[in-house]
Amino acid sequence: KAKKKKKRKRPATVKTFFRAMVLPGADLGSCFVSLPGSGVQMPGLGLGLSHNGGFSKEAVEAALQHGIKLYDTAQRYGTEAELGAILAAAGRNSDDPQDTAHHVFVSTKLWPANYGTRTAQASCHASRQKLQREVLDLFLLHWPDAGAGDRNREARLETWRELEKLVEQGVCRAVGVSNFTARHLEQLCEDASVAPAVNQCEFHPLQQPQALRETCRELGVVFEGWSPLAKGEALALPAVVQLAQELQRSPAQVVLRWQLQEQVVCIPKSTQPQRVVANAAVFDFELSEQQMQVLRGLHCDRRVTWDPTRVP
């Protein structure tokens, strides 16, 4: 017998979480989202980290110095230990979010090779040790393919229940998913006791999954966008270049400001300290509705990397 779909009310925080951000003159510290279900305060703009070879100690240090409070990494990147060491050396590895002078928001992701009831929790503990944190702010399932073929739905749920236990144990403040389509997300919300707090997906002017974003809103899941600059492709788009000239900003700043005004958590990557600083300087100007529509019109379903729509 088919399971009846649970109806979930969208928390008010999902509708209004960037209210302060859209006011001209707001600063980096006032841009945050209150994660549904936990009340955890997640910064709206952060620094996305990458693999060995694409990781920059200087970029992380510059981000810390300029007040960036969100750092997103993953087991697959192999740089959790590097990030943990930098945060510890800077005295920014406190587990207490009330200790604003020493705490930053850290999120990491569980790789599918570590999915399962026997490995998920142990893998989370290994990540915590590398990051030198007793408590993770956010822990995500990295990819919807659990390697179980037709049993992917059941396998995802088994691992998700392990993440629920980590929250109960106080090891993670919030848990979520990454690269889940609307179908994957709806299945998990139907089956699980706790809905994901976040769904982190590809989002940039060429890839604007509006149906997925609407599903997230309906289910009370915060939408976070990775690769906001489309690996640099967005910076050369004529419409972006023209808006940058009109606003006297860089193309990257225009795209990032657009994403924030779209109420999408934004984690641009850069290994260059000066670009990290420039990417955060997006709170003293605002795009008009007409300018927003120009960028919305660039969607062409272009992906710059993985395509999760083929995952069963």
Side-chain angles (χ1 to χ4, degrees):
K1 185 177 178 181
K3 293 183 180 180
K4 186 177 180 180
K5 183 177 180 179
K6 298 176 184 177
K7 291 185 178 180
R8 298 178 183 268
K9 292 184 178 180
R10 178 177 58 161
T13 50
V14 177
K15 294 189 291 184
T16 62
F17 67 101
F18 275 132
R19 182 174 292 171
M21 188 282 301
V22 298
L23 298 175
D27 60 21
L28 186 61
S30 66
C31 179
F32 65 89
V33 51
S34 181
L35 297 183
S38 66
V40 170
Q41 302 297 300
M42 179 180 182
L45 177 65
L47 178 65
L49 304 174
S50 191
H51 303 265
N52 282 315
F55 181 89
S56 167
K57 177 176 182 285
E58 293 74 20
V60 176
E61 291 174 337
L64 289 169
Q65 292 170 6
H66 285 80
I68 293 175
K69 297 268 183 145
L70 166 60
Y71 297 83
D72 177 78
T73 186
Q75 294 175 348
R76 183 174 185 267
Y77 304 161
T79 52
E80 290 174 322
E82 287 88 340
L83 175 61
I86 295 169
L87 296 180
R92 303 302 297 274
N93 63 335
S94 170
D95 290 307
D96 182 6
Q98 301 302 317
D99 184 6
T100 56
H102 303 100
H103 174 269
V104 294
F105 190 103
V106 175
S107 65
T108 191
K109 298 181 272 296
L110 181 71
W111 187 240
N114 298 320
Y115 286 6
T117 56
R118 296 183 179 180
T119 52
Q121 290 199 41
S123 186
C124 176
H125 297 322
S127 288
R128 288 192 301 117
Q129 290 179 346
K130 291 175 181 177
L131 289 163
Q132 302 189 41
R133 292 284 296 270
E134 292 297 320
V135 182
L136 294 177
D137 296 294
L138 180 63
F139 194 46
L140 308 176
L141 298 184
H142 200 151
W143 182 245
D145 193 347
D150 293 339
R151 286 197 65 259
N152 259 334
R153 177 173 182 170
E154 291 79 8
R156 285 191 292 266
L157 178 61
E158 289 172 358
T159 300
W160 179 254
R161 285 176 172 157
E162 297 304 306
L163 268 61
E164 291 179 342
K165 293 175 185 177
L166 292 169
V167 175
E168 294 172 359
Q169 296 164 10
V171 172
C172 298
R173 290 196 172 86
V175 289
V177 297
S178 183
N179 300 300
F180 273 42
T181 67
R183 173 173 51 83
H184 300 138
L185 197 59
E186 287 171 342
Q187 288 176 350
L188 187 58
C189 287
E190 286 176 13
D191 300 338
S193 300
V194 177
V198 171
N199 187 17
Q200 184 189 109
C201 299
E202 182 175 352
F203 185 85
H204 46 75
L206 302 176
Q207 177 57 235
Q208 302 177 46
Q210 301 303 345
L212 174 58
R213 292 177 63 201
E214 181 57 33
T215 296
C216 288
R217 283 191 287 266
E218 291 174 354
L219 295 172
V221 178
V222 169
F223 188 90
E224 180 180 13
W226 56 260
S227 197
L229 305 178
K231 293 190 174 180
E233 290 184 23
L235 306 182
L237 295 171
V240 172
V241 173
Q242 181 176 344
L243 285 176
Q245 292 172 347
E246 292 175 5
L247 293 163
Q248 296 185 334
R249 300 285 171 169
S250 72
Q253 289 172 327
V254 169
V255 172
L256 297 175
R257 177 69 195 194
W258 164 78
Q259 180 160 325
L260 291 174
Q261 287 185 220
E262 283 289 302
Q263 302 190 26
V264 174
V265 177
C266 187
I267 45 172
K269 292 181 179 180
S270 180
T271 59
Q272 300 182 36
Q274 67 274 21
R275 289 186 180 176
V276 170
V277 174
N279 286 347
V282 292
F283 294 94
D284 57 351
F285 73 103
E286 184 175 359
L287 274 66
S288 68
E289 180 58 26
Q290 182 178 5
Q291 291 168 331
M292 293 289 290
Q293 289 293 352
V294 169
L295 295 183
R296 289 172 186 148
L298 297 177
H299 172 70
C300 61
D301 203 27
R302 160 81 172 131
R303 295 184 185 274
V304 296
T305 183
W306 307 341
D307 182 0
T309 62
R310 301 175 184 176
V311 176

